[in-house]
């Protein structure tokens, strides 16, 4: 059966909350048993890539940073070790936040804020961030068996609410190409940079297994009513 035009991927259990609740419950138990923080999505190099970009562009250390779908919170720990002070991580899985709290405690990073929150329905206080980071969360939403296309649109709308105008959005994806992500985030965002990722060669063609992009939220244009004021 062919997929609908707006559903580029087959639905998967990887797009369900139940899967991630179960996965992080296992990782939480493993951490409590042997102290293993669990899987780092896209590997350590993905975290290094993000931190290098922030440092290269001299992003102030007190910039507010939101990790969307923080999982075990290891990215936030690495950001804190690099000197960033205003860090928040959210995840819709309570087990993920329990795990990230344990990791935060182990690393002595009490300044990292963590909360259970669904990014597709963000609370009012989740706003005004200078930087938003996504490593795999948009990918997972894109696999949701229940209206993935609608949830992708909700994601973009939520990003527009929580990220400041001219704020930066760094996304790492293994499902989407650069061109596809440009299309997904065309409303309200513009591409700044494509970050280098490992390349592979198959059948004489060279490609990337991972796409990493930096977007900037466009300035909010004043309305006619604002001009009349």
């Amino acid at each position: 059966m062919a997929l609908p035009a707006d559903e580029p991927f087959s639905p998967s259990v990887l797009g369900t909350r139940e899967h991630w609740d179960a996965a992080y419950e296992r990782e939480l138990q493993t951490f409590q048993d042997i102290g293993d923080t669990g899987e780092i999505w896209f590997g350590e190099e993905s975290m290094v890539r993000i931190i290098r970009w922030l440092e290269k562009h001299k992003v102030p250390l007190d910039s507010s940073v939101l990790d969307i779908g923080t999982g075990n919170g290891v990215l936030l720990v690495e950001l804190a070790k690099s000197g960033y002070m205003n860090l928040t991580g959210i995840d819709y899985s309570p087990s993920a936040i329990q795990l990230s709290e344990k990791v935060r405690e182990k690393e002595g990073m009490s300044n990292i804020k963590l909360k259970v929150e669904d990014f597709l329905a963000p609370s009012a206080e989740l706003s005004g961030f200078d930087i938003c980071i996504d490593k795999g969360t948009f990918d997972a939403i894109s696999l949701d068996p229940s209206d993935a296309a609608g949830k992708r649109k909700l994601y973009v709308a939520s990003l527009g609410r929580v990220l400041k105008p001219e704020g930066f959005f760094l996304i790492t994806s293994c499902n989407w190409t650069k061109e596809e992500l440009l299309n997904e985030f065309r409303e309200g965002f513009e591409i700044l940079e494509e970050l280098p990722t490992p390349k592979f060669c198959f059948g004489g063609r060279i490609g990337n297994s991972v796409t990493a992009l930096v977007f900037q939220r466009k300035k909010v244009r004043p309305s006619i009513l604002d001009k009349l004021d």
Side-chain angles (χ1 to χ4, degrees):
M1 184 175 68
L3 291 171
D6 57 354
E7 297 288 5
F9 306 110
S10 298
S12 168
V13 67
L14 292 173
T16 66
R17 185 178 303 211
E18 292 77 15
H19 169 81
W20 294 110
D21 280 339
Y24 283 115
E25 283 172 14
R26 290 192 298 270
E27 291 200 5
L28 178 60
Q29 187 60 53
T30 300
F31 181 83
Q32 291 170 335
D33 291 343
I34 62 174
D36 183 1
T37 57
E39 182 179 359
I40 299 174
W41 272 55
F42 303 113
E44 291 186 9
E45 69 180 20
S46 65
M47 299 191 296
V48 172
R49 188 185 305 124
I50 290 167
I51 293 169
R52 280 181 178 166
W53 187 88
L54 296 173
E55 292 175 343
K56 174 185 174 183
H57 292 273
K58 297 181 171 56
V59 173
L61 295 178
D62 61 353
S63 299
S64 53
V65 179
L66 176 65
D67 186 16
I68 303 167
T70 194
N72 57 18
V74 171
L75 172 60
L76 293 172
V77 169
E78 293 305 312
L79 287 165
K81 289 179 179 178
S82 297
Y84 292 91
M85 300 173 284
N86 191 356
L87 303 170
T88 300
I90 62 167
D91 204 293
Y92 68 8
S93 170
S95 297
I97 294 300
Q98 290 178 42
L99 174 60
S100 57
E101 287 172 342
K102 296 283 187 185
V103 173
R104 175 183 66 182
E105 180 182 350
K106 176 185 176 183
E107 298 289 345
M109 300 295 184
S110 59
N111 60 317
I112 296 174
K113 297 181 284 291
L114 299 165
K115 57 179 72 176
V116 178
E117 183 139 9
D118 184 352
F119 188 67
L120 301 187
S123 60
E125 61 265 24
L126 200 74
S127 63
F129 287 91
D130 299 304
I131 309 282
C132 288
I133 300 172
D134 181 318
K135 284 196 316 103
T137 298
F138 189 71
D139 282 359
I141 288 170
S142 304
L143 300 174
D144 194 320
S146 175
D147 190 20
K151 289 178 178 176
R152 297 200 313 270
K153 291 177 182 176
L154 278 176
Y155 182 104
V156 176
S158 294
L159 185 63
R161 287 200 294 273
V162 306
L163 185 63
K164 287 180 181 177
E166 299 188 72
F168 301 114
F169 172 53
L170 290 82
I171 181 169
T172 304
S173 170
C174 62
N175 285 353
W176 297 88
T177 65
K178 174 184 177 181
E179 290 71 25
E180 289 168 337
L181 287 173
L182 289 177
N183 183 57
E184 290 292 313
F185 292 94
R186 65 188 182 279
E187 297 291 338
F189 301 90
E190 55 190 359
I191 183 71
L192 279 188
E193 190 173 346
E194 180 177 13
L195 304 184
T197 59
K199 296 186 183 299
F200 67 91
C201 182
F202 182 78
R205 298 184 65 183
I206 296 175
N208 296 67
S209 56
V210 173
T211 301
L213 302 179
V214 181
F215 287 92
Q216 186 170 30
R217 187 183 164 199
K218 295 176 182 177
K219 290 182 181 179
V220 178
R221 293 179 179 176
S223 68
I224 294 176
L225 290 177
D226 291 333
K227 291 178 180 178
L228 291 176
D229 289 344

